[in-house]
Amino acid sequence: MEECATLNDLQKWERLVEEQSSLFRLTLTDNQTLRIRVDELERELSVWKLAFKAAEDEKCNLQKQMLKLEKNIGSLRDDNPLLLCLIDGDGNIFSQDLLASGHTGGRQAAMLLTKGLTDYMVDVDAGSSGRGQVWLTVYCNKTGLMDTLVNNGICSASEFEAFVLGFNSASPLFSIVDVGGGKEAADAKIKECLRVFTRFPQTSRVFFGGGHDNGYTSTLSTLENEGLLEKIVLLRGYKTLAAELQHFDLPHLDIGGVFMTKKLPSSYTHRRSTPPAGFAPQEHDRQKINPKNFLVGTQSPVISTNTSFCRYLDPSLPLNKQTPRPCTFFYLSVCKQGDKCTYGHDYFLTAD
């Protein structure tokens, strides 16, 4: 009996030793696995620490750069703000008194504009008005404008030339720019200037002298969508504002005595070009056409002496190569595009 008990105790002991050994082996294996995992995590943690430190350094550098840029922008905006003035000279026409005064009138117009713009800034932002620089440009078809002024008895050609010279010499930042006789040439330049310069932080205000023309609607809508319309101030010439521009509700500035308040009787949108070879000067002056006198459905124009301008074809080019091409609908039927049409409505065309 004692031998059986001893045997059972030995077996139990051996079983316990085996279980303990198995447990030790399992624990050792798990420890090794965990140690390897810990080493991997430590390496990964060191990588993340390095990445975090690099990110923190980059963030610190970016903050320093941002503070520096903000300081520079603030300096541009506050120390030397720009007051930009863009005028469509084909619509905002200077007053007769100024134009007829020639060189003196040009300098006086520049002075009145400068005073009007700076006085406006005193009212809305007294802090920046004393430091602002006025940069003013008038875009126009110089030849067409001069012809219209002369034909309406506003001034002579020499007075107009003297006015332009006086205006341009009044300030290095004041200029009257001749854009030529292309269709909407002045509009294109003003639209691009509006789009570019309103984005500059140093541009405090943009005085826009083009309220007579619906063609600027798309550009103003774009500026409104970008939150830049608050920089635009409408510099009014004519008392009547273009219908499509009225909904923008722009702040406006009227400078008395600078611009005509009413449109001239005839429009110089119909540009005059050099007559073709074979036309005598007196014949060229006599043969003027009025687009309203074209009969619907006929190619024969009715010659009128009441209209001042017409465009002649370049005899060396076919019709489809003229710039711009004559509008087929206008001469043969009715053009529904009106002033927005990109083709020519002001050609002198024979029946052929």
Side-chain angles (χ1 to χ4, degrees):
M1 293 293 293
E2 292 180 357
E3 292 180 359
C4 290
T6 301
L7 183 59
N8 290 335
D9 291 339
L10 181 60
Q11 291 175 347
K12 289 179 180 179
W13 176 256
E14 290 177 350
R15 187 172 64 253
L16 290 174
V17 170
E18 184 179 352
E19 291 177 355
Q20 187 179 31
S21 298
S22 177
L23 181 60
F24 286 161
R25 284 192 297 271
L26 181 61
T27 302
L28 182 61
T29 302
D30 290 342
N31 286 341
Q32 290 176 343
T33 302
L34 292 174
R35 189 176 294 109
I36 294 173
R37 181 58 179 163
V38 168
D39 292 341
E40 291 177 353
L41 291 175
E42 287 180 347
R43 286 194 297 270
E44 186 175 350
L45 178 61
S46 64
V47 171
W48 282 110
K49 284 182 177 179
L50 291 174
F52 179 76
K53 185 177 183 304
E56 284 292 312
D57 292 342
E58 184 178 2
K59 177 183 176 182
C60 183
N61 292 332
L62 288 175
Q63 287 178 339
K64 291 180 180 179
Q65 293 178 12
M66 183 180 68
L67 292 175
K68 184 178 180 180
L69 288 174
E70 287 179 348
K71 183 178 179 180
N72 291 337
I73 291 174
S75 176
L76 287 172
R77 182 176 57 248
D78 299 330
D79 296 343
N80 193 23
L82 175 64
L83 306 179
L84 180 66
C85 184
L86 303 169
I87 299 176
D88 186 341
D90 290 342
N92 277 27
I93 303 175
F94 289 99
S95 67
Q96 182 173 5
D97 292 340
L98 293 175
L99 290 168
S101 299
H103 191 277
T104 302
R107 298 185 67 86
Q108 185 178 1
M111 181 193 68
L112 291 173
L113 284 168
T114 302
K115 185 177 185 302
L117 300 182
T118 52
D119 287 349
Y120 176 87
M121 291 305 298
V122 169
D123 295 335
V124 299
D125 187 6
S128 65
S129 61
R131 302 186 304 275
Q133 293 192 53
V134 179
W135 183 6
L136 189 149
T137 306
V138 181
Y139 296 97
C140 66
N141 170 20
K142 185 179 174 182
T143 302
L145 177 58
M146 181 173 63
D147 288 345
T148 297
L149 295 174
V150 172
N151 290 330
N152 281 277
I154 303 299
C155 65
S156 65
S158 60
E159 288 172 341
F160 178 76
E161 291 288 357
F163 174 88
V164 173
L165 181 61
F167 188 90
N168 287 340
S169 63
S171 169
L173 296 178
F174 279 44
S175 57
I176 295 178
V177 177
D178 182 13
V179 298
K183 186 176 179 63
E184 298 182 354
D187 300 34
K189 291 186 178 295
I190 293 177
K191 289 175 183 177
E192 193 65 13
C193 288
L194 284 172
R195 186 187 66 82
V196 172
F197 286 101
T198 50
R199 291 178 169 84
F200 290 176
Q202 64 267 39
T203 303
S204 178
R205 289 292 189 282
V206 178
F207 294 90
F208 167 54
H212 61 283
D213 192 347
N214 287 317
Y216 295 106
T217 303
S218 60
T219 301
L220 294 177
S221 296
T222 301
L223 296 178
E224 184 178 35
N225 294 335
E226 296 177 3
L228 298 172
L229 197 62
E230 61 184 13
K231 289 187 176 183
I232 305 297
V233 178
L234 188 63
L235 181 60
R236 296 183 60 170
Y238 301 144
K239 293 183 178 180
T240 303
L241 187 65
E244 295 181 15
L245 301 185
Q246 294 179 7
H247 77 275
F248 291 108
D249 195 24
L250 292 170
H252 65 271
L253 171 61
D254 295 281
I255 305 178
V258 177
F259 299 110
M260 295 183 182
T261 57
K262 295 182 180 180
K263 294 183 179 181
L264 293 175
S266 61
S267 172
Y268 56 89
T269 54
H270 301 286
R271 271 52 172 186
R272 180 170 61 192
S273 59
T274 304
F279 277 81
Q282 63 272 18
E283 184 180 6
H284 172 235
D285 292 336
R286 185 175 64 253
Q287 289 187 338
K288 315 290 184 170
I289 61 170
N290 185 345
K292 294 182 179 180
N293 289 334
F294 277 89
L295 302 179
V296 176
T298 178
Q299 291 180 314
S300 301
V302 179
I303 304 301
S304 171
T305 58
N306 297 327
T307 304
S308 302
F309 306 106
C310 61
R311 187 196 301 268
Y312 288 88
L313 296 173
D314 185 344
S316 63
L317 298 175
L319 279 178
N320 61 351
K321 297 295 184 181
Q322 302 291 327
T323 305
R325 290 188 298 175
C327 178
T328 303
F329 288 102
F330 178 81
Y331 289 101
L332 300 183
S333 180
V334 176
C335 179
K336 297 181 180 180
Q337 299 297 322
D339 292 339
K340 296 181 180 180
C341 182
T342 58
Y343 298 101
H345 288 188
D346 51 2
Y347 282 101
F348 175 83
L349 300 182
T350 65
D352 292 337

